[in-house]
Amino acid sequence: MKKILLLFLITSIAVAQNANRKFENYKKAGNILEINTSDGKYILKPYSDNIVETSFIPKGESFNPNSHAVVLVPEKVKTKVSDGKSTLTYATNGLSVTIQKSPFKISYFYNTKELISEKNGYTKKDSTEIIDFNLDNVEVLYGGGARALGMNRRGNRLQLYNRAHYGYETKAELMNFTMPLVMSSKIYAVHFDNEPIGYLDLDSKKDNTLAYETISGRKTYQVIAADSWTDLVKDYTDLTGKQPLLPRWALGNFSSRFGYHSQEETQKTIDRFIKDGIPVDAIILDLYWFGKTIQGTMGNLDWDKDKFPNPTKMISDLNDKGVKTVLITEPFILTTSSKWQEAVDKKILAVDKTGKPCTYDFYFGNTGIIDVFKPEGKAWFWDIYKKLINQGVGGLWGDLGEPEVFPSKAITAKGKADAVHNVYGHNWAKLVADGYKKDFPNQRPFILMRSGYSGSQRFGMVPWSGDVSRSWGGLQSQTEIALQMGMQGMGYMHSDLGGFAGDYFDNELYLRWLQYGVFQPIFRPHAQEEVASEPVYKDVVTKAKAKKLVELRYQLLPYNYTLSFENNQKGTPLMRPLFFEEPENKALYEVCETYFWGNDFLVTPITKSAVTSTSIYFPKNNNWFDFYSEQEYLGGSAKMVAVSDDHIPVFVRGGAFIPMIKTIQNTTKYSLSNFDLHYYFDEKTTSSTGKLYNDDGTTANDFEKGQYEILNFKANVVFKTLTINFTSETGKAFSATDKNVNLVLHHASKAQKVTVNGKDIAFKNNSNTIEIPVTWEKGTSKEIKIQF
């Protein structure tokens, strides 16, 4: 017994907090618990039953309440404090925090399960401050922003300093998005709510330690826990903000390259799309819109009239064709640019210690940088954007916003460069989003940004994975980056389809990347000029294959737009890891080669050349059907699947409803007056539901304004009868219309009889499907019974 007690004491001491920290007393004011210790004070505050914030304020310091990330107003949460002789417990209905008085230790529990505990807690070194925690020895860790490291990021010490990695392939330790956010396979998260640069150490020393290290700032973190992964992401995005619903055109095809040199080239490119019948919704102009050369012109931020003599007419003509114009901008004003003196005179630039504009050299020239933290800087930058939007520009691209070069000597209105480096892109996106709300409140913005921080999703930011190598290795890292970022709130992380960096020419790689692109958030081929990114500039065979992929992307618009709505409402990623569905299946913790697209598609991109077959695991809750061949695969099994040249392996969940439309040239032609509703009959799935969200696709906050409809579908199978119900929810300000629905039943036996609301109707038995025409009058419900 003595040996067991001694072992317990040794273990407790080993994982206890800073031995010099002594518990003194506590007080509870409302829901907030304050704990005084010998070297400072803890403040514990609940945001909800599942989110608790902890701040440590060392003696001699004052609490900074300002957060770049948190927007959630704390709920009225019922909390309870239990004071025992050796422990103090602070609990909501979900999370509980146990404070061991001696030796001092703070531990976090969810539904009686221990999640994590402080190790030394807060400690200060000569130049850095650290908060560290105890991990268990088996949990898998995710997070830290955009990296290419493998899904399990445990064992890495991650620098928190946004920086581009040009031409990366399968490994990139540091990229454009770094986030002080850690998620665990135990379904909890820790978010370190602080801006300055630092490190996130995910047990790199193999001693079961998680550590956050920074140069300065808040000693504040939130612990978030949930019963499921989707709930965990919902809680995190409740805390830091939900992604606004994108304009529907953003889910279409982009014409994009580095770059279009002239108005003539821009117009001819779109005319080729139209002539070839390849759908397209936007064209992105890189830096040649304001300068003939790459170097020396950045910061002009106005049309080069030699190459773009009538941009207003060009934009108007493109809009008439249903194509939006998106312009690149950067935060750098070169000393050689036409706006340099104006920027100096209006004092909108970051400064040096003497108060003069801070200038330095980088690839594009000698430069200063706009101070987006300064009211004058924000107003000046927004005035440029406002003029462009009034000219008809449909979207804005913020590039190099890490910032790509931001020396420590630069000083902004919010502090030195190293203190604000990681939130520069975050605040840049904020000024654009705020400007839209003020001056264009009914217009949904499209804000393409290369860099941001935790919470950036609430500004409508659409991130991409940077200057990836145009190579098979570059393609191989993309699912990991997108899945990880979706878990961290950034649901629209995507890649330059086809790859960006380098002149490697391989049509197989190009098509495989586009095949993946159909089932990822933004379909935007983009590349350097050496190899065309647009399908219209490919050879006849490659163009024809690419055209079919673009067409499929448009056919899936109803399904994809509904995913966007779900992301807006719940924060649920569009791309989801397999462990979201089977969190107990440890074999899936590090899988990113196969993923869910929404709830109902299972996708496996082909990321190597000449692949003829691949192994795929089919999640256990349903059977799965090949989207192209209709072949059935049993849930809970792993199978070798033959691979086609024309498409990547894609499967549909048994019981799923997949709404689709016929191909359209662009989203201005989008309509649900006629659509196909595919239902995948599965004997294992006797009951299932689906939905389709619809609004005008352009107006900000349509759902909140009641300008929407939701079409609901429900299926039940009893013996040899399948019953499908259609119901609808219509917002108070939405004008619904009648719809012609072509209900397509997959993998069903030949039907003997079909009724709609009790009346027999004609239908078509095909070899693998049954087609049932349903006229759905607005405001009504439909019951379709299929007897086999």
Side-chain angles (χ1 to χ4, degrees):
M1 181 67 183
K2 288 182 179 180
K3 288 182 179 180
I4 295 173
L5 181 60
L6 179 61
L7 178 62
F8 172 78
L9 289 172
I10 291 172
T11 304
S12 298
I13 293 169
V15 297
Q17 268 187 231
N18 189 329
N20 296 322
R21 183 166 296 133
K22 308 297 182 186
F23 176 88
E24 292 183 348
N25 55 58
Y26 77 94
K27 68 176 181 180
K28 185 170 184 276
N31 280 340
I32 296 175
L33 181 69
E34 293 187 8
I35 302 169
N36 290 305
T37 69
S38 54
D39 61 343
K41 177 171 66 176
Y42 279 90
I43 300 176
L44 278 68
K45 177 172 70 176
Y47 280 89
S48 70
D49 283 332
N50 292 352
I51 306 172
V52 170
E53 178 179 279
T54 300
S55 299
F56 183 75
I57 303 95
K59 283 193 172 179
E61 295 187 18
S62 57
F63 178 58
N64 173 10
N66 298 317
S67 168
H68 76 276
V70 171
V71 293
L72 182 65
V73 176
E75 300 171 6
K76 291 183 178 179
V77 180
K78 184 178 180 181
T79 59
K80 181 180 179 182
V81 173
S82 303
D83 186 8
K85 184 177 180 180
S86 60
T87 60
L88 180 70
T89 301
Y90 172 72
T92 70
N93 285 332
L95 280 166
S96 63
V97 186
T98 298
I99 298 93
Q100 182 176 287
K101 296 180 180 179
S102 181
F104 190 85
K105 181 184 175 185
I106 294 183
S107 304
Y108 297 86
F109 295 79
Y110 181 68
N111 293 336
T112 72
K113 178 181 72 174
E114 183 171 9
L115 304 175
I116 197 169
S117 61
E118 286 194 359
K119 191 170 188 176
N120 294 300
Y122 169 78
T123 55
K124 185 172 176 59
K125 291 187 175 181
D126 292 339
S127 59
T128 61
E129 300 173 282
I130 299 171
I131 308 173
D132 64 5
F133 298 81
N134 297 299
L135 298 167
D136 74 26
N137 59 4
V138 295
E139 62 190 297
V140 172
L141 300 180
Y142 312 96
R147 322 263 179 172
L149 296 169
M151 281 297 281
N152 183 5
R153 293 180 171 176
R154 188 166 182 165
N156 291 283
R157 185 170 185 257
L158 306 177
Q159 187 178 2
L160 298 173
Y161 188 89
N162 293 351
R163 177 178 289 160
H165 185 159
Y166 180 83
Y168 71 91
E169 293 192 31
T170 57
K171 183 155 181 138
E173 294 183 359
L174 193 61
M175 293 179 66
N176 309 76
F177 280 82
T178 64
M179 295 188 192
L181 173 65
V182 182
M183 292 179 157
S184 166
S185 55
K186 292 161 67 174
I187 315 184
Y188 74 87
V190 182
H191 173 244
F192 298 95
D193 194 354
N194 189 39
E195 301 175 20
I197 64 174
Y199 287 87
L200 193 59
D201 193 315
L202 307 183
D203 195 28
S204 68
K205 297 177 182 177
K206 310 297 184 187
D207 60 355
N208 299 327
T209 302
L210 165 67
Y212 170 70
E213 181 177 350
T214 184
I215 59 170
S216 62
R218 285 156 50 93
K219 277 65 77 172
T220 295
Y221 61 88
Q222 294 93 24
V223 175
I224 310 163
D227 295 318
S228 70
W229 278 103
T230 51
D231 284 347
L232 184 67
V233 177
K234 177 185 181 297
D235 289 341
Y236 170 71
T237 52
D238 281 346
L239 182 72
T240 59
K242 294 289 191 288
Q243 176 97 27
L245 188 59
L246 293 187
R248 185 157 43 225
W249 63 262
L251 298 177
N253 178 34
F254 288 76
S255 178
S256 182
R257 66 156 61 188
F258 179 32
Y260 302 109
H261 291 256
S262 67
Q263 181 171 332
E264 181 183 21
E265 185 182 6
T266 303
Q267 292 172 319
K268 282 185 175 180
T269 298
I270 291 302
D271 287 344
R272 291 188 73 152
F273 275 95
I274 295 170
K275 177 179 177 293
D276 291 337
I278 299 177
V280 64
D281 258 274
I283 188 164
I284 298 182
L285 302 188
D286 215 308
L287 46 75
Y288 295 114
W289 75 273
F290 56 70
K292 297 178 184 64
T293 59
I294 296 174
Q295 294 174 308
T297 60
M298 190 171 287
N300 288 349
L301 296 175
D302 202 355
W303 295 96
D304 176 0
K305 290 300 181 66
D306 290 336
K307 292 294 186 179
F308 293 86
N310 196 340
T312 301
K313 185 177 188 308
M314 178 191 76
I315 295 168
S316 177
D317 289 346
L318 290 171
N319 281 333
D320 288 345
K321 295 171 182 176
V323 177
K324 303 293 187 294
T325 305
V326 180
L327 300 183
I328 195 173
T329 58
E330 301 89 0
F332 299 101
I333 310 295
L334 299 189
T335 56
T336 55
S337 80
S338 60
K339 284 191 166 52
W340 171 255
Q341 194 56 49
E342 178 185 337
V344 173
D345 292 343
K346 294 196 173 182
K347 299 181 178 180
I348 60 99
L349 300 169
V351 299
D352 59 24
K353 62 182 179 182
T354 71
K356 295 180 180 179
C358 181
T359 57
Y360 46 92
D361 293 327
F362 78 139
Y363 173 78
F364 296 95
N366 185 254
T367 195
I369 189 169
I370 301 169
D371 188 348
V372 298
F373 305 97
K374 190 177 185 181
E376 294 87 347
K378 288 189 284 188
W380 184 86
F381 215 173
W382 174 247
D383 281 345
I384 289 171
Y385 287 133
K386 184 177 178 180
K387 178 182 175 182
L388 294 170
I389 297 166
N390 280 324
Q391 199 172 26
V393 167
L396 301 169
W397 174 10
D399 199 17
L400 314 183
E402 298 79 35
E404 183 163 289
V405 181
F406 198 24
S408 299
K409 66 179 181 178
I411 302 170
T412 73
K414 201 173 181 182
K416 295 181 179 180
D418 288 348
V420 300
H421 176 93
N422 287 340
V423 291
Y424 187 96
H426 178 87
N427 281 271
W428 184 9
K430 181 180 186 300
L431 83 83
V432 177
D434 288 348
Y436 267 96
K437 287 179 182 177
K438 175 178 174 288
D439 293 316
F440 307 97
N442 290 322
Q443 184 174 337
R444 295 184 201 173
F446 176 78
I447 306 171
L448 184 66
M449 282 271 174
R450 195 168 83 168
S451 187
Y453 211 49
S454 47
S456 290
Q457 71 277 353
R458 69 177 179 269
F459 305 128
M461 185 186 284
V462 176
W464 85 100
S465 58
D467 295 337
V468 59
S469 168
R470 187 191 289 127
S471 65
W472 290 101
L475 174 57
Q476 286 160 24
S477 60
Q478 294 311 303
T479 52
E480 174 201 339
I481 294 168
L483 289 168
Q484 289 268 357
M485 288 292 279
M487 292 167 63
Q488 297 172 75
M490 303 298 293
Y492 288 93
M493 174 56 78
H494 66 288
S495 64
D496 291 344
L497 300 183
F500 176 80
D503 58 3
Y504 180 69
F505 180 81
D506 184 339
N507 279 332
E508 182 192 7
L509 170 66
Y510 175 76
L511 289 169
R512 287 300 192 201
W513 215 314
L514 263 60
Q515 290 165 5
Y516 160 59
V518 172
F519 300 95
Q520 53 103 62
I522 301 292
F523 193 93
R524 187 182 57 84
H526 181 71
Q528 293 173 329
E529 291 180 278
E530 290 84 354
V531 181
S533 59
E534 311 93 330
V536 294
Y537 291 119
K538 296 295 185 180
D539 63 85
V540 174
V541 173
T542 305
K543 181 197 296 187
K545 291 181 177 180
K547 180 181 179 180
K548 289 183 179 179
L549 298 171
V550 177
E551 289 175 341
L552 177 57
R553 176 73 178 189
Y554 277 78
Q555 292 161 17
L556 287 169
L557 273 171
Y559 179 85
N560 293 350
Y561 194 58
T562 303
L563 297 189
S564 291
F565 174 68
E566 187 176 7
N567 173 263
N568 165 249
Q569 294 293 298
K570 300 178 182 178
T572 312
L574 286 76
M575 289 174 62
R576 305 164 194 176
L578 297 188
F579 59 75
F580 266 41
E581 184 153 315
E582 296 184 29
E584 74 291 344
N585 188 345
K586 295 179 181 180
L588 302 180
Y589 285 175
E590 301 183 33
V591 172
C592 61
E593 296 79 12
T594 298
Y595 63 89
F596 294 114
W597 175 240
N599 183 66
D600 294 324
F601 281 104
L602 187 71
V603 181
T604 301
I606 299 302
T607 61
K608 294 181 181 179
S609 178
V611 172
T612 58
S613 63
T614 188
S615 178
I616 297 173
Y617 172 74
F618 295 92
K620 65 182 182 181
N621 291 335
N622 305 84
N623 294 324
W624 295 85
F625 301 95
D626 190 301
F627 184 56
Y628 300 95
S629 73
E630 304 276 346
Q631 183 173 342
E632 181 180 8
Y633 293 87
L634 298 181
S637 67
K639 297 291 183 182
M640 288 299 296
V641 173
V643 172
S644 166
D645 291 339
D646 294 333
H647 57 80
I648 57 176
V650 177
F651 307 88
V652 184
R653 183 189 300 274
F657 289 95
I658 307 294
M660 297 176 68
I661 58 170
K662 305 302 186 218
T663 301
I664 52 179
Q665 183 60 39
N666 56 62
T667 56
T668 64
K669 308 298 183 184
Y670 183 86
S671 171
L672 291 181
S673 295
N674 297 276
F675 70 93
D676 297 326
L677 181 64
H678 297 264
Y679 171 75
Y680 286 79
F681 182 83
D682 174 18
E683 293 178 356
K684 186 176 181 179
T685 307
T686 57
S687 179
S688 61
T689 60
K691 69 180 178 183
L692 170 53
Y693 176 78
N694 187 39
D695 60 22
D696 69 14
T698 61
T699 304
N701 303 310
D702 261 340
F703 180 73
E704 290 75 12
K705 294 172 182 174
Q707 298 171 179
Y708 70 92
E709 65 178 345
I710 299 175
L711 310 180
N712 296 299
F713 316 112
K714 184 176 182 180
N716 284 286
V717 181
V718 178
F719 192 48
K720 292 187 177 182
T721 301
L722 167 64
T723 302
I724 294 178
N725 293 98
F726 293 0
T727 58
S728 64
E729 173 190 332
T730 305
K732 61 183 179 181
F734 188 83
S735 297
T737 59
D738 295 348
K739 295 172 175 61
N740 294 310
V741 183
N742 182 38
L743 178 60
V744 184
L745 308 183
H746 293 256
H747 202 72
S749 304
K750 289 188 180 297
Q752 301 300 316
K753 180 180 180 182
V754 175
T755 62
V756 176
N757 286 2
K759 295 182 179 179
D760 291 356
I761 66 163
F763 59 94
K764 185 188 296 183
N765 276 318
N766 301 316
S767 57
N768 293 314
T769 61
I770 301 167
E771 292 187 51
I772 303 167
V774 180
T775 302
W776 191 2
E777 300 84 2
K778 64 181 180 180
T780 67
S781 59
K782 294 290 177 181
E783 182 182 71
I784 302 102
K785 284 187 176 290
I786 302 98
Q787 294 181 7
F788 301 111

